[in-house]
């Protein structure tokens, strides 16, 4: 992509409906967009990055576009596929090649001069650690349910007795597959003291007091704009398992919650966050987590459209001016 209006770089996999929404809005505005999946490097993407005393320059070339590294307006970092190596490479060589791609190609993508990131991939990485999320949320004045992270089964059972009912939550959404290759999901679920055994010693586990909730809330924040949605209809603790039963209602964000989440984003250096809360029977919002690049495109259009516009505004006008 040569001289002219600087483009927006969208970093994501091809089958990403959330990125599609934003790209569609930018296309309507006639904003140049380049879509890139780092997982395509080096098979179908070529990098030629020159860094000297004037800063980074050079190009990235995909099958359809050439991107000048010094001319990127902003970056929407969404859901790229993992880095990959040539299938013909043996195991140790493949692992080495993948890490070189991550720190070389990924390092270039994270160092584009003057680009506005939503969000920067390294800030996303920092913001994905659940213990840090919980600590920062509490520091920002948000209500955090009692939470235990441990590999000690005796301590976990004592916590479940003292704070029950409790739920188990994975510390990260790590890719997990069955022997036949099917993707598996580790869901949030209720756990009793009797279910906790010595297998807990194998790694860290997160247990949290279950909120007596009236509903769930997904609060999407773009810059300083909140978009809160009340989610009703889930029969269990993890509403993601029951999409066909859910209803969605746009609701206002209480001022104290907005203050807390903006402080949270500022602490992690984030522009965007998808926050999950439990709405207690007393009306209090109980913190669960923040996904720094969470999805939102499954909501009805009247909810997704304002989020799409807000994100497109961030990417089109990084300085906040039209």
């Amino acid at each position: 992509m040569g001289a002219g209006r600087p483009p927006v770089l969208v970093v994501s996999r091809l089958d990403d409906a959330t990125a599609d929404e934003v790209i569609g809005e930018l296309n309507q505005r006639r904003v140049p967009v380049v879509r890139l999946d780092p997982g395509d490097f080096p098979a179908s993407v070529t990098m030629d990055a020159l860094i000297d005393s004037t800063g980074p320059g050079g190009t990235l070339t995909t099958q359809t576009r050439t991107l000048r590294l010094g001319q990127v307006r902003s970056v929407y970092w969404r859901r790229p596929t993992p880095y990959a190596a040539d299938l013909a490479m043996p195991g140790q060589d493949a692992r080495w090649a993948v890490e070189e791609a991550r720190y070389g190609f990924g390092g270039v993508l994270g160092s584009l001069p003057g680009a506005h990131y939503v969000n920067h991939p390294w800030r996303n990485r920092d913001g994905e650690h659940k213990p840090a999320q919980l600590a920062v949320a509490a520091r920002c004045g948000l209500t955090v349910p009692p939470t235990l992270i441990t590999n000690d089964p005796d301590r976990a059972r004592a916590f479940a007795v003292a704070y029950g009912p409790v739920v188990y939550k994975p510390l990260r959404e790590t890719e997990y597959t069955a022997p036949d290759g099917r993707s598996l999901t580790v869901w949030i679920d209720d756990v009793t003291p009797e279910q906790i055994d010595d297998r807990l010693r194998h790694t860290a586990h997160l247990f949290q007091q279950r909120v007596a909730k009236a509903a769930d809330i997904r609060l999407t924040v773009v810059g300083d704009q909140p978009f809160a949605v009340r989610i009703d209809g889930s029969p269990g603790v993890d509403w993601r398992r029951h999409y066909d039963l859910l209803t969605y209602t746009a609701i206002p964000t209480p001022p104290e919650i907005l203050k807390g989440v903006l402080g949270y984003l500022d602490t992690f250096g984030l522009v965007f966050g998808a926050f999950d809360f439990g709405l207690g029977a007393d009306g209090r919002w109980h913190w669960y987590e923040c996904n720094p690049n969470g999805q939102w495109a499954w909501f009805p259009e009247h909810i997704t459209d304002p989020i799409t516009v807000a994100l497109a505004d961030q990417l089109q006008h990084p300085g906040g001016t039209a």
Side-chain angles (χ1 to χ4, degrees):
M1 184 168 292
R5 292 177 297 162
V8 171
L9 174 62
V10 177
V11 180
S12 195
R13 62 190 68 193
L14 186 61
D15 58 340
D16 181 3
T18 298
D20 292 344
E21 292 287 332
V22 177
I23 291 171
E25 176 69 19
L26 291 170
N27 286 337
Q28 288 186 16
R29 302 180 184 197
R30 300 187 182 278
V31 176
V33 177
V34 175
R35 187 173 192 154
L36 173 70
D37 186 355
D40 291 336
F41 176 82
S44 59
V45 176
T46 301
M47 175 178 64
D48 176 19
L50 175 64
I51 303 172
D52 58 20
S53 58
T54 63
T59 60
L60 293 179
T61 304
T62 71
Q63 291 179 317
T64 59
R65 298 287 186 90
T66 295
L67 178 71
R68 296 187 181 278
L69 296 174
Q71 297 182 357
V72 176
R73 177 193 318 218
S74 53
V75 180
Y76 184 32
W77 196 281
R78 261 290 301 160
R79 291 286 180 90
T81 54
Y83 289 98
D86 190 323
L87 293 177
M89 298 180 75
Q92 180 171 275
D93 292 348
R95 288 192 297 272
W96 183 85
V98 165
E99 289 305 296
E100 290 297 291
R102 186 189 318 280
Y103 284 91
F105 188 76
V108 168
L109 290 180
S111 305
L112 301 179
H116 175 57
Y117 287 85
V118 184
N119 293 306
H120 196 286
W122 303 336
R123 305 291 80 76
N124 278 344
R125 179 193 61 201
D126 294 344
E128 288 176 346
H129 290 80
K130 291 284 179 65
Q133 289 191 15
L134 292 160
V136 172
R139 191 186 317 153
C140 291
L142 299 165
T143 300
V144 176
T147 304
L148 175 71
I149 300 171
T150 186
N151 70 327
D152 183 336
D154 292 333
R155 183 69 185 91
R157 281 190 287 266
F159 179 84
V161 170
Y163 292 95
V166 302
V167 296
Y168 165 78
K169 296 183 176 183
L171 284 153
R172 191 175 189 276
E173 295 298 331
T174 305
E175 291 193 10
Y176 203 85
T177 57
D180 62 3
R182 290 180 298 108
S183 294
L184 300 175
T185 299
V186 180
W187 301 104
I188 300 169
D189 213 343
D190 288 300
V191 62
T192 65
E194 295 74 28
Q195 292 174 305
I196 299 170
D197 58 33
D198 279 353
R199 289 176 297 176
L200 197 79
R201 297 187 186 279
H202 292 310
T203 192
H205 295 73
L206 186 153
F207 301 94
Q208 189 172 79
Q209 185 177 51
R210 175 152 59 88
V211 174
K213 64 183 183 181
D216 291 282
I217 294 173
R218 166 58 67 89
L219 171 60
T220 304
V221 181
V222 183
D224 60 358
Q225 298 183 67
F227 303 93
V229 180
R230 174 173 171 149
I231 302 173
D232 289 284
S234 175
V237 294
D238 195 333
W239 54 264
R240 298 171 302 166
R241 305 178 72 168
H242 309 284
Y243 284 105
D244 56 330
L245 301 177
L246 304 178
T247 59
Y248 308 106
T249 308
I251 60 173
T253 304
E256 67 277 9
I257 298 296
L258 180 58
K259 179 181 178 181
V261 296
L262 292 181
Y264 179 97
L265 293 177
D266 184 64
T267 299
F268 281 109
L270 300 171
V271 179
F272 171 95
F275 297 83
D276 285 319
F277 291 87
L279 178 63
D282 59 358
R284 296 177 68 189
W285 290 33
H286 298 261
W287 164 274
Y288 288 157
E289 63 181 2
C290 174
N291 188 334
N293 62 352
Q295 301 182 72
W296 42 266
W298 83 91
F299 285 132
E301 284 188 11
H302 72 279
I303 293 174
T304 61
D305 286 352
I307 300 174
T308 302
V309 169
L311 277 163
D313 287 344
Q314 277 281 335
L315 297 166
Q316 182 180 4
H317 308 295
T321 57

